[in-house]
Every structure is written in C-alpha cells, then in structure tokens.
Coordinates of all heavy atoms in Angstrom, one line a residue:
R1 N -3.3 -74.4 94.1 CA -4.1 -74.9 95.2 C -5.3 -74.1 95.5 O -6.3 -74.7 95.9 CB -3.2 -74.9 96.5 CG -2.1 -76.0 96.4 CD -1.3 -76.0 97.6 NE -0.2 -76.9 97.5 CZ 1.1 -76.7 97.8 NH1 1.4 -75.6 98.4 NH2 2.0 -77.6 97.6
E2 N -5.2 -72.8 95.2 CA -6.4 -72.0 95.6 C -7.5 -72.0 94.5 O -8.6 -71.7 94.9 CB -5.9 -70.5 95.7 CG -4.9 -70.3 96.9 CD -5.5 -70.7 98.2 OE1 -6.6 -70.4 98.5 OE2 -4.7 -71.3 99.0
L3 N -7.2 -72.3 93.3 CA -8.1 -72.3 92.2 C -8.8 -71.0 92.0 O -9.9 -70.9 91.4 CB -9.1 -73.5 92.4 CG -8.6 -74.9 92.5 CD1 -9.7 -75.9 92.7 CD2 -7.8 -75.2 91.3
N4 N -8.2 -69.9 92.4 CA -8.8 -68.6 92.3 C -7.6 -67.6 92.4 O -6.8 -67.6 93.3 CB -9.8 -68.4 93.5 CG -10.4 -67.0 93.5 OD1 -9.7 -66.0 93.8 ND2 -11.7 -66.9 93.1
M5 N -7.5 -66.7 91.4 CA -6.4 -65.8 91.3 C -6.4 -64.8 92.5 O -5.3 -64.5 93.1 CB -6.4 -65.0 90.1 CG -6.2 -65.8 88.8 SD -4.5 -66.3 88.7 CE -4.4 -66.8 87.0
S6 N -7.6 -64.4 93.0 CA -7.6 -63.4 94.1 C -7.1 -64.1 95.4 O -6.4 -63.5 96.2 CB -9.0 -62.9 94.3 OG -9.4 -62.1 93.2
R7 N -7.6 -65.3 95.6 CA -7.1 -66.0 96.8 C -5.7 -66.3 96.8 O -4.9 -66.2 97.8 CB -8.0 -67.3 97.0 CG -9.4 -67.0 97.6 CD -10.0 -68.3 98.1 NE -10.0 -69.4 97.2 CZ -11.0 -69.8 96.4 NH1 -12.1 -69.0 96.4 NH2 -10.9 -70.8 95.6
C8 N -5.2 -66.7 95.6 CA -3.8 -66.9 95.4 C -3.0 -65.7 95.7 O -1.9 -65.8 96.4 CB -3.5 -67.4 93.9 SG -1.8 -67.7 93.6
A9 N -3.4 -64.6 95.2 CA -2.7 -63.3 95.5 C -2.7 -63.0 97.0 O -1.6 -62.6 97.5 CB -3.4 -62.2 94.7
K10 N -3.8 -63.3 97.7 CA -3.8 -63.0 99.1 C -2.8 -63.9 99.8 O -2.0 -63.5 100.7 CB -5.2 -63.3 99.6 CG -5.4 -62.9 101.1 CD -6.8 -63.1 101.6 CE -7.6 -61.9 101.1 NZ -9.0 -61.8 101.7
V11 N -2.7 -65.2 99.5 CA -1.8 -66.1 100.1 C -0.3 -65.7 99.8 O 0.5 -65.8 100.7 CB -2.0 -67.6 99.6 CG1 -0.9 -68.5 99.9 CG2 -3.4 -68.1 100.1
L12 N -0.1 -65.2 98.6 CA 1.3 -64.8 98.2 C 1.6 -63.3 98.6 O 2.7 -62.9 98.2 CB 1.5 -65.1 96.8 CG 1.4 -66.6 96.4 CD1 1.5 -66.7 94.8 CD2 2.5 -67.3 97.0
H13 N 0.6 -62.7 99.2 CA 0.8 -61.2 99.6 C 1.2 -60.4 98.4 O 2.2 -59.6 98.4 CB 1.9 -61.1 100.7 CG 1.6 -62.0 101.9 ND1 0.6 -61.7 102.8 CD2 2.1 -63.1 102.3 CE1 0.5 -62.6 103.7 NE2 1.5 -63.5 103.4
T14 N 0.4 -60.5 97.3 CA 0.6 -59.7 96.1 C -0.7 -59.4 95.5 O -1.8 -59.7 96.1 CB 1.6 -60.4 95.1 OG1 2.0 -59.5 94.1 CG2 1.0 -61.6 94.5
S15 N -0.7 -58.8 94.4 CA -2.0 -58.4 93.7 C -2.4 -59.5 92.7 O -1.6 -60.3 92.2 CB -1.9 -57.1 93.0 OG -1.0 -57.2 91.9
Q16 N -3.7 -59.5 92.5 CA -4.3 -60.5 91.5 C -3.7 -60.2 90.1 O -3.4 -61.1 89.4 CB -5.8 -60.3 91.5 CG -6.5 -61.3 90.6 CD -6.7 -60.7 89.2 OE1 -6.9 -59.5 89.0 NE2 -6.7 -61.6 88.2
S17 N -3.5 -58.9 89.8 CA -3.0 -58.6 88.5 C -1.5 -59.1 88.3 O -1.1 -59.6 87.3 CB -3.0 -57.1 88.2 OG -2.3 -56.4 89.1
A18 N -0.8 -59.1 89.4 CA 0.6 -59.6 89.4 C 0.6 -61.1 89.2 O 1.4 -61.6 88.4 CB 1.4 -59.3 90.7
I19 N -0.3 -61.8 89.8 CA -0.4 -63.3 89.6 C -0.8 -63.6 88.2 O -0.2 -64.4 87.5 CB -1.5 -63.9 90.6 CG1 -1.1 -63.7 92.0 CG2 -1.7 -65.3 90.3 CD1 0.2 -64.4 92.4
S20 N -1.8 -62.9 87.7 CA -2.3 -63.1 86.3 C -1.2 -62.8 85.3 O -0.9 -63.6 84.3 CB -3.5 -62.2 86.0 OG -4.6 -62.6 86.7
R21 N -0.4 -61.7 85.5 CA 0.7 -61.3 84.6 C 1.8 -62.4 84.7 O 2.3 -62.8 83.6 CB 1.2 -60.0 85.0 CG 2.1 -59.3 84.1 CD 2.5 -57.9 84.4 NE 2.7 -57.6 85.8 CZ 1.9 -56.9 86.6 NH1 0.7 -56.5 86.1 NH2 2.2 -56.7 87.8
G22 N 2.1 -62.9 85.9 CA 3.1 -63.9 86.0 C 2.7 -65.2 85.3 O 3.6 -65.8 84.6
V23 N 1.5 -65.6 85.5 CA 1.0 -66.9 84.8 C 1.1 -66.7 83.3 O 1.5 -67.6 82.6 CB -0.4 -67.2 85.3 CG1 -1.0 -68.3 84.4 CG2 -0.4 -67.7 86.7
G24 N 0.7 -65.5 82.8 CA 0.7 -65.2 81.4 C 2.1 -65.3 80.9 O 2.4 -65.8 79.8
E25 N 3.1 -64.7 81.6 CA 4.5 -64.8 81.2 C 5.0 -66.2 81.1 O 5.8 -66.5 80.2 CB 5.3 -63.9 82.1 CG 5.1 -62.4 82.0 CD 5.8 -61.6 83.0 OE1 6.6 -62.1 83.8 OE2 5.6 -60.4 83.1
I26 N 4.6 -67.0 82.1 CA 5.1 -68.4 82.1 C 4.5 -69.1 80.9 O 5.1 -69.9 80.2 CB 4.8 -69.1 83.4 CG1 5.6 -68.5 84.5 CG2 5.1 -70.6 83.3 CD1 5.1 -68.9 85.9
E27 N 3.2 -68.9 80.6 CA 2.5 -69.5 79.5 C 3.2 -69.1 78.2 O 3.4 -69.9 77.3 CB 1.0 -69.1 79.5 CG 0.2 -69.8 80.6 CD -1.2 -69.5 80.6 OE1 -1.5 -68.3 80.2 OE2 -2.0 -70.3 81.1
D28 N 3.6 -67.8 78.1 CA 4.3 -67.4 76.9 C 5.6 -68.1 76.8 O 6.0 -68.5 75.7 CB 4.5 -65.9 76.9 CG 3.2 -65.1 76.7 OD1 2.2 -65.7 76.2 OD2 3.2 -63.9 77.0
L29 N 6.3 -68.2 77.9 CA 7.6 -68.8 77.9 C 7.6 -70.3 77.4 O 8.4 -70.7 76.6 CB 8.2 -68.7 79.3 CG 9.6 -69.3 79.5 CD1 10.7 -68.5 78.7 CD2 10.0 -69.4 81.0
V30 N 6.6 -71.0 78.0 CA 6.5 -72.5 77.6 C 5.7 -72.7 76.4 O 5.7 -73.8 75.9 CB 6.0 -73.3 78.8 CG1 7.0 -73.2 80.0 CG2 4.6 -72.9 79.3
G31 N 5.0 -71.7 75.9 CA 4.2 -71.9 74.7 C 2.9 -72.7 74.8 O 2.4 -73.1 73.7
V32 N 2.4 -72.9 75.9 CA 1.1 -73.6 76.1 C 0.3 -72.9 77.2 O 0.8 -72.2 78.0 CB 1.3 -75.1 76.5 CG1 2.0 -75.8 75.4 CG2 2.1 -75.2 77.8
R33 N -1.0 -73.1 77.1 CA -1.9 -72.6 78.2 C -1.8 -73.6 79.4 O -2.0 -74.8 79.2 CB -3.3 -72.6 77.6 CG -4.3 -71.9 78.6 CD -5.6 -71.7 77.8 NE -6.4 -70.8 78.7 CZ -6.5 -69.5 78.6 NH1 -5.9 -68.9 77.6 NH2 -7.3 -68.8 79.4
L34 N -1.5 -73.0 80.5 CA -1.4 -73.8 81.8 C -2.6 -73.9 82.6 O -2.8 -74.8 83.4 CB -0.2 -73.2 82.6 CG 1.1 -73.2 81.9 CD1 2.1 -72.4 82.8 CD2 1.6 -74.6 81.7
F35 N -3.5 -72.9 82.5 CA -4.7 -72.8 83.3 C -5.9 -72.4 82.4 O -5.8 -71.5 81.5 CB -4.6 -71.8 84.4 CG -3.5 -72.2 85.4 CD1 -2.2 -71.7 85.3 CD2 -3.8 -73.1 86.4 CE1 -1.2 -72.1 86.2 CE2 -2.8 -73.5 87.3 CZ -1.5 -73.0 87.2
D36 N -7.0 -73.0 82.6 CA -8.3 -72.5 82.1 C -8.9 -71.6 83.1 O -9.0 -71.9 84.3 CB -9.3 -73.6 81.8 CG -8.8 -74.5 80.6 OD1 -8.3 -73.9 79.7 OD2 -9.0 -75.7 80.7
R37 N -9.1 -70.3 82.7 CA -9.6 -69.3 83.7 C -11.0 -68.8 83.4 O -11.3 -68.6 82.2 CB -8.6 -68.1 83.7 CG -7.2 -68.4 83.9 CD -6.4 -67.1 83.9 NE -5.2 -66.9 83.2 CZ -4.5 -67.6 82.4 NH1 -4.8 -68.8 82.2 NH2 -3.4 -67.2 81.9
T38 N -11.8 -68.7 84.4 CA -13.0 -68.0 84.3 C -13.0 -66.8 85.3 O -12.0 -66.7 86.0 CB -14.2 -68.9 84.6 OG1 -14.2 -69.2 86.0 CG2 -14.2 -70.1 83.8
T39 N -14.0 -66.0 85.4 CA -14.0 -65.0 86.4 C -14.1 -65.5 87.8 O -13.7 -64.8 88.7 CB -15.2 -64.0 86.2 OG1 -16.4 -64.8 86.2 CG2 -15.1 -63.3 84.8
R40 N -14.5 -66.7 88.0 CA -14.6 -67.3 89.3 C -13.6 -68.4 89.7 O -13.3 -68.6 90.9 CB -16.0 -67.9 89.5 CG -17.1 -66.8 89.5 CD -18.4 -67.4 90.0 NE -19.4 -66.4 90.1 CZ -19.6 -65.6 91.2 NH1 -18.8 -65.7 92.2 NH2 -20.6 -64.8 91.2
R41 N -13.1 -69.0 88.7 CA -12.2 -70.2 89.0 C -11.1 -70.4 88.0 O -11.2 -69.9 86.9 CB -13.2 -71.4 88.9 CG -12.5 -72.6 89.5 CD -13.6 -73.8 89.6 NE -12.9 -74.8 90.3 CZ -13.3 -75.4 91.4 NH1 -14.4 -75.0 91.9 NH2 -12.6 -76.3 91.9
V42 N -10.0 -71.0 88.5 CA -8.9 -71.3 87.7 C -8.6 -72.8 87.8 O -8.6 -73.3 88.9 CB -7.6 -70.5 88.2 CG1 -6.4 -70.9 87.4 CG2 -7.8 -69.0 88.2
R43 N -8.5 -73.5 86.7 CA -8.2 -74.9 86.7 C -7.0 -75.2 85.8 O -6.9 -74.7 84.7 CB -9.4 -75.7 86.1 CG -10.6 -75.6 87.0 CD -11.7 -76.5 86.5 NE -12.9 -76.3 87.4 CZ -13.9 -77.1 87.4 NH1 -14.0 -78.0 86.5 NH2 -14.9 -76.9 88.2
P44 N -6.1 -76.0 86.3 CA -4.9 -76.4 85.5 C -5.3 -77.2 84.3 O -6.2 -78.1 84.4 CB -4.0 -77.1 86.5 CG -4.9 -77.6 87.6 CD -6.1 -76.7 87.6
T45 N -4.7 -77.0 83.2 CA -4.8 -77.8 82.0 C -3.9 -79.0 82.3 O -3.2 -79.1 83.3 CB -4.3 -77.1 80.8 OG1 -3.0 -76.8 80.9 CG2 -5.2 -75.8 80.5
S46 N -3.9 -80.0 81.3 CA -3.0 -81.1 81.5 C -1.5 -80.6 81.6 O -0.7 -81.2 82.3 CB -3.2 -82.1 80.4 OG -3.0 -81.6 79.2
F47 N -1.2 -79.6 80.8 CA 0.2 -79.0 80.8 C 0.4 -78.4 82.2 O 1.5 -78.5 82.8 CB 0.3 -78.0 79.8 CG 0.3 -78.5 78.4 CD1 -0.8 -78.3 77.6 CD2 1.4 -79.2 77.8 CE1 -0.9 -78.8 76.3 CE2 1.4 -79.7 76.5 CZ 0.2 -79.5 75.8
G48 N -0.6 -77.7 82.7 CA -0.5 -77.1 84.0 C -0.3 -78.1 85.1 O 0.5 -77.9 86.0
K49 N -0.9 -79.2 85.0 CA -0.8 -80.3 86.1 C 0.6 -80.8 86.1 O 1.2 -81.1 87.1 CB -1.8 -81.4 85.8 CG -3.2 -81.0 86.2 CD -4.2 -82.1 85.8 CE -5.6 -81.6 86.1 NZ -6.6 -82.7 85.7
V50 N 1.2 -81.0 84.9 CA 2.6 -81.4 84.8 C 3.5 -80.4 85.4 O 4.4 -80.7 86.2 CB 3.0 -81.7 83.3 CG1 4.5 -81.9 83.1 CG2 2.2 -82.9 82.8
L51 N 3.3 -79.1 85.0 CA 4.2 -78.1 85.6 C 4.1 -78.0 87.1 O 5.1 -77.8 87.8 CB 3.9 -76.7 84.9 CG 4.9 -75.6 85.4 CD1 6.3 -76.0 85.0 CD2 4.5 -74.3 84.7
I52 N 2.9 -78.1 87.6 CA 2.6 -78.1 89.1 C 3.4 -79.2 89.7 O 4.0 -79.0 90.8 CB 1.1 -78.1 89.4 CG1 0.5 -76.8 89.0 CG2 0.9 -78.4 90.9 CD1 -1.1 -76.9 89.0
W53 N 3.3 -80.4 89.2 CA 4.0 -81.6 89.7 C 5.5 -81.3 89.8 O 6.1 -81.5 90.9 CB 3.8 -82.8 88.9 CG 4.4 -84.0 89.5 CD1 3.8 -84.8 90.5 CD2 5.7 -84.5 89.3 NE1 4.7 -85.8 90.8 CE2 5.9 -85.7 90.1 CE3 6.7 -84.1 88.5 CZ2 7.0 -86.4 90.1 CZ3 7.9 -84.9 88.5 CH2 8.0 -86.0 89.3
H54 N 6.1 -80.8 88.7 CA 7.5 -80.5 88.7 C 7.9 -79.4 89.7 O 8.9 -79.4 90.4 CB 8.0 -80.1 87.3 CG 8.1 -81.3 86.4 ND1 9.2 -82.2 86.5 CD2 7.3 -81.8 85.5 CE1 9.1 -83.1 85.6 NE2 7.9 -82.9 85.0
A55 N 7.0 -78.3 89.8 CA 7.3 -77.2 90.7 C 7.3 -77.8 92.2 O 8.1 -77.4 93.0 CB 6.2 -76.1 90.6
E56 N 6.3 -78.7 92.5 CA 6.3 -79.2 93.8 C 7.5 -80.0 94.1 O 8.0 -80.0 95.3 CB 5.0 -80.1 94.0 CG 3.8 -79.2 94.1 CD 2.5 -80.0 94.1 OE1 2.5 -81.2 93.7 OE2 1.4 -79.4 94.4
Q57 N 8.0 -80.8 93.1 CA 9.3 -81.5 93.3 C 10.4 -80.6 93.6 O 11.3 -80.9 94.5 CB 9.6 -82.4 92.1 CG 8.5 -83.4 91.8 CD 8.2 -84.3 92.9 OE1 9.1 -84.9 93.5 NE2 6.9 -84.4 93.3
I58 N 10.5 -79.5 92.9 CA 11.6 -78.5 93.1 C 11.5 -77.9 94.5 O 12.5 -77.8 95.2 CB 11.5 -77.4 92.0 CG1 11.9 -78.1 90.6 CG2 12.5 -76.3 92.3 CD1 11.6 -77.2 89.4
V59 N 10.3 -77.5 94.9 CA 10.2 -76.9 96.2 C 10.5 -77.9 97.3 O 11.2 -77.6 98.3 CB 8.7 -76.4 96.4 CG1 8.5 -76.0 97.8 CG2 8.5 -75.2 95.5
G60 N 10.2 -79.2 97.1 CA 10.5 -80.2 98.0 C 12.1 -80.4 98.1 O 12.6 -80.5 99.2
Q61 N 12.7 -80.4 97.0 CA 14.2 -80.5 96.9 C 14.8 -79.3 97.6 O 15.8 -79.5 98.4 CB 14.7 -80.6 95.5 CG 14.4 -81.9 94.8 CD 15.2 -83.0 95.4 OE1 16.2 -82.9 96.0 NE2 14.8 -84.3 95.1
L62 N 14.3 -78.1 97.4 CA 14.9 -77.0 98.1 C 14.7 -77.1 99.6 O 15.6 -76.7 100.4 CB 14.2 -75.7 97.6 CG 14.6 -75.3 96.2 CD1 13.7 -74.1 95.7 CD2 16.0 -74.9 96.1
G63 N 13.6 -77.6 100.1 CA 13.4 -77.8 101.5 C 14.4 -78.8 102.1 O 14.9 -78.5 103.2
R64 N 14.6 -79.8 101.3 CA 15.6 -80.8 101.8 C 17.0 -80.3 101.8 O 17.8 -80.5 102.8 CB 15.5 -82.1 101.0 CG 14.2 -82.9 101.3 CD 14.2 -84.2 100.6 NE 13.8 -84.1 99.2 CZ 12.6 -83.9 98.7 NH1 11.6 -83.8 99.5 NH2 12.4 -83.9 97.4
A65 N 17.3 -79.5 100.8 CA 18.6 -78.8 100.8 C 18.8 -77.9 102.0 O 19.8 -77.8 102.6 CB 18.8 -78.1 99.5
E66 N 17.8 -77.1 102.3 CA 17.8 -76.2 103.4 C 18.0 -76.9 104.7 O 18.8 -76.5 105.5 CB 16.5 -75.4 103.5 CG 16.5 -74.4 104.6 CD 15.2 -73.6 104.6 OE1 14.1 -74.1 104.1 OE2 15.2 -72.5 105.2
A67 N 17.4 -78.1 104.9 CA 17.5 -78.9 106.1 C 19.0 -79.4 106.2 O 19.6 -79.4 107.3 CB 16.5 -80.0 106.1
E68 N 19.5 -79.8 105.1 CA 20.9 -80.3 105.0 C 21.9 -79.2 105.4 O 22.8 -79.4 106.1 CB 21.3 -80.9 103.7 CG 20.7 -82.3 103.5 CD 21.1 -82.9 102.2 OE1 22.3 -82.8 101.8 OE2 20.2 -83.5 101.5
F69 N 21.6 -78.0 104.9 CA 22.5 -76.8 105.2 C 22.5 -76.5 106.7 O 23.5 -76.3 107.3 CB 22.0 -75.6 104.4 CG 22.3 -75.6 102.9 CD1 21.7 -74.7 102.1 CD2 23.1 -76.6 102.4 CE1 21.9 -74.7 100.8 CE2 23.3 -76.6 101.0 CZ 22.7 -75.7 100.2
R70 N 21.3 -76.6 107.3 CA 21.1 -76.3 108.7 C 21.9 -77.4 109.5 O 22.5 -77.1 110.5 CB 19.7 -76.3 109.1 CG 19.0 -74.9 108.9 CD 17.7 -74.8 109.6 NE 16.8 -75.9 109.3 CZ 15.8 -75.9 108.4 NH1 15.6 -74.8 107.7 NH2 15.0 -76.9 108.3
A71 N 21.8 -78.6 109.1 CA 22.5 -79.7 109.7 C 24.0 -79.6 109.7 O 24.7 -80.0 110.6 CB 22.0 -81.1 109.2
L72 N 24.5 -79.0 108.6 CA 25.9 -78.8 108.5 C 26.5 -77.7 109.4 O 27.6 -77.7 109.7 CB 26.3 -78.5 107.0 CG 26.2 -79.6 106.0 CD1 26.3 -79.1 104.6 CD2 27.2 -80.7 106.3
N73 N 25.6 -76.8 109.7 CA 26.0 -75.7 110.6 C 26.0 -76.2 112.0 O 26.0 -76.0 113.0 CB 25.2 -74.5 110.4 CG 25.5 -73.7 109.2 OD1 26.7 -73.8 108.7 ND2 24.6 -73.1 108.6

C-alpha cells in the first residue's frame, strides 16, 4: 500500500532494512520477484499482485475468525 520501503517500515514500526530483508526472503521462498524496486518507489510485479490479493484474503479471514471468537465469549 505504501509503495515505499521507508514508509512501510514506519507503518509497521520496524526498520527499512528489516522490510527489505523480509521481502527478499519471501522472494527467495517463492522463487520469483514480487516487487520492482527503485530508490524511491516499490511496485508489485504481477506475481506480487497475486500474493497481495491472497494476503488480503487471509487477513480478512483472520478478522472474521476473531469476530466469531469474540461472539462465542
């Protein structure tokens, strides 16, 4: 969402290097480049867009599960 590693790090309360390292580890894990990076901007590749979509679905499911847990209590 931020399209910038430094802004992303600020939102996530971590360092820019931690974000870059994490993205690199995920790229190594899945075997494709997820983002095109310049010194000023980060843009998702087509693979990145697919992973972002799935990640948003997972986060949404977790939110719904949390709401159901609260309702059960």
